[in-house]
Amino acid sequence: MDLESKVKKMGLGHEEGFGAPCLKCKDKCEGFELHYWRKICRNCKCGQEEHDILSSNEEDRKVGKLFEDTKYTTLIAKLKNDGNPVYKRNVMILTNPVPAKKNISINTVTYEWAPPVQNQTLARQYMQMLPKEKQPVAGSEGAQYRKKQLAKQLPAHDQDPSKCHELSPNEVKQMEQFVKKYKNEALGVGDVKLPGDVEARAADENNLKDGDRGTSSAVGAMEDKSSDQKASQYSCYHCKLNMKEGDPAVYAERAGYDKLWHPACFVCCTCSELLVDMIYFWKNGNLYCGRHYCDSEKPRCAGCDELIFSNEYTQAEGQNWHLKHFCCFDCDCVLAGEIYVVVNDKPVCKSCYVKNHAEICQGCHNAIDPEVQRVTYNNFNWHATQECFLCSCCSKCLIDQKFIPVEGMVFCSVECKKKMMS
C-alpha cells in the first residue's frame, strides 16, 4: 500500500468526522473524507452537514468563538486545557411519570438545546410550539435537523480565518474587521418571554420616568382591557397572526421589544429555516441566519463556500468564484478559458463530462459530446446524425422526419413498428 493510500485509509488526525456515514447517500458513500479546499466530502460530494458526525465538541467551540467578545459571554465557558471559549448549551431533561398496568414508570425526554430561561414551564411551552420534526430531542429527527442547521447557518469559515484556505495577510485583516463589525451591529440571541411580562416591564420603566401619577394611570389602563382584547393585542412580526394569551413569544433585542415572533416563526428571511438556538443577525428590519447575513454583505465563492475578501474574483453561471476556485467539480482542473458544462449547477470540464455525465446515444451506444447536436425524446438520446437517428427496423434516417417512439426504439412507420414488434 503506497503512502497516499495509507493516508486516505487512516484519515488526517485533525479531520473532524472522518469516515462518518452520509445520511443522504447511505451506502453509496465510503464515509466522510474532507476535500482539501472544498467544504465537501471527497467520496460523495455532499457537505459535512449531510454526514452523521457524532461529536458536537467542534460545533460548541465554533459557537463559543462566535459569542466571544460579545454581550453573550454568559453563554460560553473557557476550556481548562486550552482556554478557548466553548458554548454552554442549555440542555433540558424532562421526566414524566407514565402509568403502566402494575406500576408507574418514568419517561425521560432530553432536549439537546433549550431556551436559557429560568422558568422550565416556559421552556417546555416553547418546545411544544415548534414543529415536532424540529424539536431537538436527543436521538430524534429534530436533533439531526438542529445539528445540520448549526453547520449550515453558522459556518466556522465565516468567522475564523484559520478555517479558511490560503488567505493573504490583508484578507485575514479584512475578515477580522468584518467579524468584529457584525458582532457589534447584527448578532443577537432571541429571548423567550410572555408578552404580558414584557409589556409590564415596559410600563414599569415608563412609570419610573413619569412618576407616581403615571403609574396609577398605566395600571388603570391595563385593568380596563378585557381578556379578549388582551388575547389579540400582540401579533407576530413574521406571520402577522395574533398571539394567544399565555403563549411564549420570541423577542430580538436588536429589533426592539415592540416586535415579537411565534417560536416557529423565528426564521431566516432568506432560507425560511428555524434560526438554530435562536441565534440571529438583524439587518434592515429582517432576521437572517449567519450564512445569509454574510451573503448579504460579501460575495461567497461557489467553489470553497468561503466569503471573498479579495478585490479580484470572477463571476460565472450567476455565482461568484475565487479566481483559483473556478474549477471542474469532478477533477479540480482550472476552467478559465476552457470549455465546461454545468451539471447540477456545478461546472464540469469537457473531459469529465464525457466520462461521467454525458448522455449515451441509443444508436451507437457512445457518449454524446456536449458540443454536438443531439435528439432527445423522454429519457432517450441520439446523435443528430444520419448514422445514429435511424428507424429501428429499416434503418431509414429520421432527422426532420415524423417518427413513432416505443421505449428506446423509434420507427418511421406503423408497418416497421408492427414488423419489429411481432
Side-chain angles (χ1 to χ4, degrees):
M1 185 184 289
D2 59 21
L3 180 60
E4 184 179 353
S5 299
K6 285 181 180 178
V7 170
K8 184 172 181 180
K9 186 175 181 181
M10 292 166 57
L12 302 174
H14 65 270
E15 191 176 305
E16 183 77 15
F18 179 82
C22 181
L23 301 171
K24 191 175 179 181
C25 300
K26 308 294 183 184
D27 294 340
K28 293 179 182 177
C29 176
E30 297 176 18
F32 184 73
E33 183 183 352
L34 187 65
H35 186 279
Y36 70 103
W37 56 266
R38 298 184 194 273
K39 308 301 186 291
I40 59 171
C41 173
R42 292 180 64 175
N43 292 320
C44 68
K45 304 294 178 71
C46 290
Q48 186 171 351
E49 69 274 8
E50 298 289 355
H51 290 77
D52 190 18
I53 298 173
L54 299 176
S55 173
S56 60
N57 293 340
E58 192 67 28
E59 297 295 353
D60 287 345
R61 282 194 287 268
K62 175 182 74 175
V63 179
K65 187 171 180 63
L66 179 67
F67 290 155
E68 191 177 29
D69 301 322
T70 70
K71 65 181 296 181
Y72 302 104
T73 51
T74 54
L75 297 176
I76 61 176
K78 295 285 185 178
L79 291 175
K80 291 181 180 179
N81 54 349
D82 57 14
N84 287 328
V86 64
Y87 181 33
K88 292 190 302 183
R89 282 179 292 121
N90 182 41
V91 177
M92 183 169 69
I93 301 174
L94 301 178
T95 54
N96 300 311
V98 180
K101 289 183 179 179
K102 293 184 178 180
N103 51 23
I104 294 178
S105 61
I106 300 297
N107 177 35
T108 302
V109 177
T110 301
Y111 290 94
E112 294 187 351
W113 171 86
V117 293
Q118 291 183 340
N119 186 339
Q120 195 178 60
T121 302
L122 198 64
R124 186 188 303 210
Q125 283 180 288
Y126 167 90
M127 285 301 183
Q128 290 172 346
M129 291 179 71
L130 298 180
K132 185 82 172 174
E133 69 276 9
K134 295 182 180 179
Q135 296 176 13
V137 175
S140 72
E141 178 187 358
Q144 284 287 359
Y145 172 81
R146 175 186 171 271
K147 188 161 61 172
K148 182 176 179 178
Q149 291 306 317
L150 201 55
K152 201 168 184 178
Q153 294 183 16
L154 301 170
H157 49 271
D158 278 9
Q159 59 157 321
D160 188 349
S162 70
K163 302 292 184 182
C164 298
H165 184 72
E166 296 180 352
L167 293 183
S168 69
N170 183 50
E171 287 171 317
V172 170
K173 186 177 179 180
Q174 284 189 60
M175 184 174 187
E176 288 173 344
Q177 290 172 344
F178 174 70
V179 172
K180 184 178 180 180
K181 185 172 183 287
Y182 74 55
K183 283 186 177 185
N184 289 335
E185 298 179 4
L187 174 65
V189 180
D191 294 328
V192 176
K193 297 180 183 295
L194 292 172
D197 292 345
V198 175
E199 185 184 57
R201 189 179 75 176
D204 288 343
E205 289 174 356
N206 289 333
N207 295 338
L208 288 173
K209 295 175 185 176
D210 297 340
D212 291 339
R213 185 177 176 183
T215 302
S216 58
S217 61
V219 171
M222 290 179 72
E223 287 175 349
D224 286 341
K225 293 179 181 177
S226 68
S227 59
D228 288 340
Q229 287 176 316
K230 271 190 175 184
S232 62
Q233 68 179 321
Y234 310 110
S235 62
C236 174
Y237 187 73
H238 176 73
C239 71
K240 311 304 180 189
L241 297 177
N242 290 338
M243 309 288 292
K244 292 181 181 178
E245 188 180 9
D247 279 352
V250 183
Y251 289 83
E253 184 180 11
R254 289 193 186 275
Y257 281 85
D258 59 327
K259 301 177 184 67
L260 69 167
W261 288 260
H262 291 110
C265 290
F266 200 64
V267 298
C268 171
C269 68
T270 301
C271 63
S272 299
E273 294 291 355
L274 203 62
L275 289 165
V276 66
D277 295 10
M278 299 192 300
I279 300 169
Y280 70 87
F281 290 73
W282 180 254
K283 177 183 175 182
N284 297 335
N286 289 305
L287 292 170
Y288 290 86
C289 67
R291 169 178 290 276
H292 291 117
Y293 170 81
C294 290
D295 285 351
S296 74
E297 292 282 314
K298 297 286 181 182
R300 185 183 297 277
C301 176
C304 68
D305 196 50
E306 294 172 16
L307 299 172
I308 299 174
F309 291 95
S310 170
N311 292 328
E312 294 185 350
Y313 62 96
T314 189
Q315 292 182 316
E317 303 302 326
Q319 300 183 92
N320 303 299
W321 312 77
H322 286 113
L323 296 177
K324 60 188 176 184
H325 289 163
F326 185 53
C327 301
C328 171
F329 197 64
D330 286 4
C331 72
D332 292 330
C333 72
V334 177
L335 293 175
E338 301 293 330
I339 295 171
Y340 66 89
V341 183
V342 177
V343 179
N344 297 325
D345 297 325
K346 306 294 183 184
V348 176
C349 70
K350 182 179 173 181
S351 176
C352 284
Y353 176 82
V354 171
K355 180 181 176 183
N356 303 325
H357 307 284
E359 302 291 352
I360 302 300
C361 175
Q362 291 293 114
C364 67
H365 304 294
N366 291 322
I368 301 175
D369 190 288
E371 293 183 277
V372 305
Q373 287 187 316
R374 72 178 187 221
V375 178
T376 299
Y377 187 85
N378 287 342
N379 293 322
F380 301 106
N381 298 270
W382 295 262
H383 285 105
T385 63
Q386 295 181 351
E387 295 78 23
C388 292
F389 193 51
L390 310 171
C391 173
S392 299
C393 179
C394 69
S395 298
K396 175 185 175 182
C397 178
L398 296 177
I399 293 176
D400 296 328
Q401 302 294 317
K402 291 182 178 179
F403 62 89
I404 302 170
V406 180
E407 295 181 352
M409 298 183 290
V410 285
F411 301 100
C412 64
S413 63
V414 174
E415 288 76 15
C416 276
K417 175 188 171 185
K418 286 180 180 178
K419 191 183 294 183
M420 194 72 176
M421 304 299 285
S422 61

